[in-house]
């Protein structure tokens, strides 16, 4: 899956950087560098989507139709 999200990056008071994504509640990352913070944010977004998908699929009946939806 390919998608674009916004990374809001701020200097952390204790050093390093915080990154968060306004489009995905709960998605945040931190790192000593901006690149590290963005990479950690990316991993957090991926984990959130994997968890949400797995949670949704657990309750589906066997005859449910699954198709791809393209956005953009």
């Amino acid at each position: 899956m390919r998608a674009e999200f916004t990374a809001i990056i701020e200097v952390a008071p204790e050093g390093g950087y915080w990154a968060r994504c306004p489009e995905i509640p709960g998605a945040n990352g931190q790192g000593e560098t901006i690149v590290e913070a963005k990479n950690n944010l990316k991993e957090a977004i991926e984990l959130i989507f994997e968890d949400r998908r797995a949670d949704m699929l657990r309750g589906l009946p066997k005859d449910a139709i699954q198709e791809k939806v393209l956005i953009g």
Side-chain angles (χ1 to χ4, degrees), residues 19 27-29 36-48:
N28 57 66
E36 189 176 312
K38 282 176 63 177
N39 285 337
N40 287 333
L41 176 62
K42 179 184 172 199
E43 288 177 18
I45 291 169
E46 289 171 344
L47 287 171
I48 287 170

Side-chain angles (χ1 to χ4, degrees), residues 34-64:
I34 292 173
V35 171
E36 189 176 312
K38 282 176 63 177
N39 285 337
N40 287 333
L41 176 62
K42 179 184 172 199
E43 288 177 18
I45 291 169
E46 289 171 344
L47 287 171
I48 287 170
F49 280 140
E50 286 173 18
D51 184 61
R52 288 182 184 171
R53 183 176 190 278
D55 191 43
M56 176 67 177
L57 292 177
R58 266 191 286 279
L60 282 180
K62 293 184 183 210
D63 61 345

